[in-house]
Amino acid sequence: MLEIDKDMLGCIDTNAQFKLQTNMAMILDRKEMRQGMKTSCQMAGRNCPTMFVIHRTAAGKWNNRIIGSIAGNIVNNKYYDFTSEVFSFTDAELDVSNKALVVLVSGPEANVDIYFKHFEMEMITDGIYPNPDAPCNDLIVHGSVGNFHSTMPWTNAGGVLYVVDDEVDGAFYRHSERDRGGFALKQDIQIPACVIRGSIYKYSMTTRVNNAQAGFKITPYMRVMSEGQPRGRWIPIVDCPAQADEDGWVTCEGDFKMSRWVNVATSMQLYIMSNAGGDIDYKELSLTFVSNDREQKLIVPDSVTECWDVGAEVMLSSQTIDHFAELVTKVTSIEPTGDGMVALGLEDSAQRWIIKEEEEEFSKPELALLSRNIVFKGDGEHVKEKGAHVQVFHTPNQVQSINGIEFKNMGQLGEKGRYPLHLHMNGVLEGTTLSKNVVRDSFQRCYVIHGTHSVLLYDNIAYNTTGHCFFFEDGCEIDNTLDRNLGARTLVAEKLVGDDETDDEPSTYWLSNGDNW
C-alpha cells in the first residue's frame, strides 16, 4: 500500500498521468505446497490481486476504483511484473479535506501472502519536460500529445483547451470556443538561458481549422518581457498562409532568429494567435535549434596556432552549475582577427553565449586542447580492469620530463598502483616536469604522485576520468607545484583499490598535505 501524504495533494494535477508498477508473487508455505494447495486465482481466476485507488472522505466514507487487475492462472511462489493502466487522480480524490488517499494491491484470499520485490508509482513525463541531455534543442515542450494525454504545460487565453483522441487522426490538442482572434494558445519558455541573440530556431506547427472565417490566419509570436515594458514586445515568429476548413491539416514552418531584445528579457512566452474567431486543432508544434553563427566561432589568443590545427579536438568546460555540461568538438577553421587573436570555427556549436564582455574572469569557461601528436593508448577500451599504465619508480634525484603526451584508456580499475601516470616512491625529483599532457577516458585516477617530492605539474588536462584525479597518495608528499591544470568530468569509481579508499566520492584534486603549491 502506498499512502499519498496530504502535503503532496497540492502538487498533483488532475491532468497528470501515472502508472503503478510492481514485481510480486503469491506465496504458499512448503506444507501447503506439498498438499497441492492452490490459490483461487490460480485455480479459477478469482480473488486475483487487483490494483485500487482508494480515498476516505471527511465524512468517513470509503471510495475505491480499480486501476488494474491481474489475470488468472498465476503460478504460486513465482514473481511476476504487473503494471496498472495509465490513470489520473480525480478532483474528489485530491480534495485536501479527505482523511486518506492510498494506492494499493488487494487480494487474494486471507491465507495467501503477497511478496513484493518492488512497488512504485511513476508519473509519466515523456515529452512534458525539457530533455535534460539537450535542454536547448527544442524550446516547445510537449509539442504533441504523445503518451501523455494532457494539455500540460500549455495554457489558453480564452476558449477551451483539451485533448482529442481520434481513431483516424490520433491524439491532438483542440482549442475551441474561440469567439475572437485574441484567444491564444500559449506556453512559457522554460529555459530562457537557451534563448540567445542571433540564435536561429526552426518553427513548425501542423494545424487544422474549423468554423473559420474567410482569410483566417494563425500567427505564432514570441512575447519578450523586460523591465520597463509591462506589456512586453511581441515578435512574430513566422508568417503562415491563410487557412480554410476544407484545407484539413496544414504545416507551417520557417526559421526564426532571436532578436536583440532577448538579451534583456526577464521572461518569454510563446503565443499562437489568429486574426479572427474559429476553432483550431494542433498536432505537432516545435521550435528547434538550428545554429548560432555568433557562437560558432571562439575568439582566442593567436598563440594557440603553435599547437592547434584544423581537426584538433577541443573541450569547452561547463558554462553552468551542471558538472557534465561540457562540449567536446573539433576545430574546423582558424582565422586571424587582428590584435593578436584568432577565431576558431567549431564543428558543434555551444547553444548559449560563451562569454559576455561584462562577465568577471572567474565566470568564464575553460577551453582545452584534447589532441596530442603522441598517444599512449591502452587496449582495455571495453575492459576497465585491463587498461595500460605508466610508472616511474625508485629513481631519486633523476630528473624526469614527461611532456605533450595523450594517455587514453589507461589505468586498471580496483588495482593498486595501476594508474595512467604514476610517480612512485622516487624521493626528491627537483627539476622534474609533467606538462601539457592529457589523461582522458581513464579507468582509475589520472596523475598520481606517491612518495615523490619537488615535481612541477603544469598545463595538464584530465577529461572523463574515474576516481580521484590529480592525486597525492600518502600525504607525505611535499614541495610539489600544481599550476594551470584542468580536470573535467570526474566520475565515480565502481570498484575501489581498498576498503579505506574514497574514489567512489571522487575529487578532481586530492591533496592531503598543505606543504604543496
Side-chain angles (χ1 to χ4, degrees):
M1 180 179 75
L2 174 67
E3 182 172 1
I4 310 298
D5 191 281
K6 294 189 71 171
D7 293 338
M8 293 180 59
L9 296 182
C11 302
I12 302 175
D13 190 285
T14 55
N15 290 318
Q17 294 183 309
F18 298 86
K19 60 182 177 181
L20 181 66
Q21 301 179 89
T22 68
N23 181 261
M24 56 175 288
M26 295 183 294
I27 304 296
L28 296 173
D29 62 30
R30 292 183 178 180
K31 180 179 178 181
E32 292 168 332
M33 292 289 288
R34 287 196 301 267
Q35 293 173 352
M37 291 182 61
K38 295 182 180 180
T39 64
S40 57
C41 178
Q42 182 178 4
M43 291 188 298
R46 293 183 292 105
N47 296 323
C48 292
T50 304
M51 299 174 176
F52 289 91
V53 173
I54 300 177
H55 75 280
R56 189 184 185 191
T57 67
K61 182 181 178 181
W62 289 96
N63 298 274
N64 66 75
R65 61 186 174 103
I66 296 174
I67 57 172
S69 57
I70 298 169
N73 301 318
I74 301 301
V75 177
N76 299 326
N77 292 48
K78 181 177 179 180
Y79 280 89
Y80 292 88
D81 290 315
F82 295 112
T83 302
S84 72
E85 62 190 41
V86 175
F87 67 96
S88 299
F89 291 100
T90 66
D91 288 326
E93 290 164 345
L94 296 176
D95 190 328
V96 294
S97 68
N98 288 338
K99 293 184 176 181
L101 174 62
V102 297
V103 179
L104 58 80
V105 176
S106 177
E109 55 265 35
N111 65 326
V112 180
D113 295 329
I114 301 178
Y115 281 55
F116 294 94
K117 286 187 175 179
H118 76 255
F119 184 102
E120 62 184 15
M121 186 177 71
E122 177 184 9
M123 181 179 177
I124 301 173
T125 60
D126 292 346
I128 68 165
Y129 297 113
N131 178 355
D133 296 327
C136 296
N137 278 0
D138 194 344
L139 298 185
I140 293 179
V141 179
H142 204 201
S144 60
V145 173
N147 294 325
F148 190 75
H149 281 54
S150 168
T151 58
M152 293 173 60
W154 294 100
T155 57
N156 53 297
V160 178
L161 179 64
Y162 54 95
V163 171
V164 175
D165 202 345
D166 186 83
E167 291 184 1
V168 177
D169 296 315
F172 55 87
Y173 303 112
R174 172 163 289 171
H175 193 185
S176 64
E177 300 182 25
R178 299 181 69 259
D179 300 329
R180 54 188 176 83
F183 290 177
L185 178 67
K186 61 180 182 177
Q187 183 178 133
D188 291 334
I189 301 301
Q190 298 193 27
I191 307 183
C194 295
V195 183
I196 307 160
R197 179 183 177 184
S199 296
I200 298 173
Y201 280 81
K202 181 179 180 180
Y203 179 83
S204 179
M205 69 178 180
T206 301
T207 58
R208 181 176 63 184
V209 299
N210 301 282
N211 306 315
Q213 301 174 16
F216 186 92
K217 290 189 68 174
I218 304 172
T219 304
Y221 292 88
M222 187 70 74
R223 185 187 185 192
V224 180
M225 305 299 294
S226 59
E227 293 183 6
Q229 292 287 331
R231 295 187 177 182
R233 292 180 172 87
W234 295 77
I235 306 171
I237 293 177
V238 65
D239 184 22
C240 296
Q243 279 183 251
D245 291 12
E246 60 269 20
D247 293 338
W249 291 104
V250 175
T251 297
C252 173
E253 58 186 21
D255 287 344
F256 172 63
K257 188 173 184 178
M258 299 295 176
S259 74
R260 63 189 178 92
W261 299 115
V262 303
N263 281 0
V264 295
T266 55
S267 65
M268 286 169 286
Q269 300 87 33
L270 169 70
Y271 274 77
I272 306 176
M273 308 175 71
S274 68
N275 59 347
D279 297 344
I280 306 176
D281 295 337
Y282 297 91
K283 203 169 188 178
E284 300 284 346
L285 301 103
S286 62
L287 188 58
T288 54
F289 179 80
V290 176
S291 66
N292 189 324
D293 291 338
R294 299 179 64 141
E295 289 192 30
Q296 292 276 31
K297 299 181 185 298
L298 297 181
I299 308 302
V300 297
D302 61 7
S303 58
V304 302
T305 58
E306 299 175 7
C307 298
W308 299 28
D309 204 349
V310 172
E313 196 168 24
V314 296
M315 185 271 294
L316 182 71
S317 66
S318 173
Q319 305 161 63
T320 72
I321 59 173
D322 180 355
H323 300 292
F324 297 146
E326 77 285 350
L327 172 69
V328 175
T329 185
K330 291 184 178 180
V331 176
T332 57
S333 63
I334 302 178
E335 302 171 1
T337 62
D339 299 326
M341 309 296 282
V342 294
L344 297 182
L346 303 179
E347 190 174 85
D348 300 292
S349 173
Q351 294 179 10
R352 54 174 291 171
W353 283 106
I354 305 304
I355 298 170
K356 297 179 181 178
E357 292 182 1
E358 64 271 20
E359 286 183 328
E360 298 294 334
E361 185 75 25
F362 68 85
S363 66
K364 300 176 182 178
E366 303 288 344
L367 181 67
L369 178 69
L370 295 182
S371 299
R372 297 292 186 271
N373 292 330
I374 301 172
V375 180
F376 288 4
K377 183 178 179 181
D379 288 334
E381 186 168 356
H382 304 295
V383 183
K384 295 182 179 181
E385 289 80 4
K386 295 185 179 180
H389 65 102
V390 173
Q391 187 177 75
V392 177
F393 64 102
H394 299 287
T395 57
N397 300 312
Q398 299 296 311
V399 175
Q400 309 286 339
S401 180
I402 302 176
N403 304 322
I405 299 174
E406 178 181 346
F407 299 91
K408 188 172 183 179
N409 299 333
M410 304 282 281
Q412 297 177 7
L413 184 63
E415 293 294 324
K416 188 174 182 179
R418 299 297 184 256
Y419 316 122
L421 188 52
H422 181 194
L423 301 188
H424 178 72
M425 305 303 289
N426 294 293
V428 176
L429 287 184
E430 188 170 358
T432 291
T433 60
L434 309 180
S435 75
K436 302 185 185 302
N437 301 293
V438 174
V439 172
R440 60 184 303 188
D441 307 330
S442 84
F443 302 135
Q444 182 163 261
R445 298 178 178 169
C446 310
Y447 304 88
V448 176
I449 308 299
H450 183 198
T452 302
H453 320 289
S454 303
V455 173
L456 171 63
L457 290 90
Y458 176 77
D459 255 2
N460 298 287
I461 307 297
Y463 174 67
N464 194 40
T465 60
T466 300
H468 302 310
C469 190
F470 294 89
F471 184 70
F472 289 11
E473 189 162 347
D474 277 352
C476 66
E477 298 83 13
I478 61 172
D479 294 330
N480 298 289
T481 301
L482 288 164
D483 188 14
R484 288 175 50 89
N485 299 286
L486 174 66
R489 190 172 280 265
T490 305
L491 305 175
V492 170
E494 300 169 358
K495 184 179 179 182
L496 301 180
V497 173
D499 294 338
D500 57 345
E501 299 294 344
T502 57
D503 294 84
D504 54 344
E505 296 179 350
S507 295
T508 303
Y509 294 90
W510 176 276
L511 293 85
S512 52
N513 189 329
D515 198 10
N516 292 281
W517 312 94

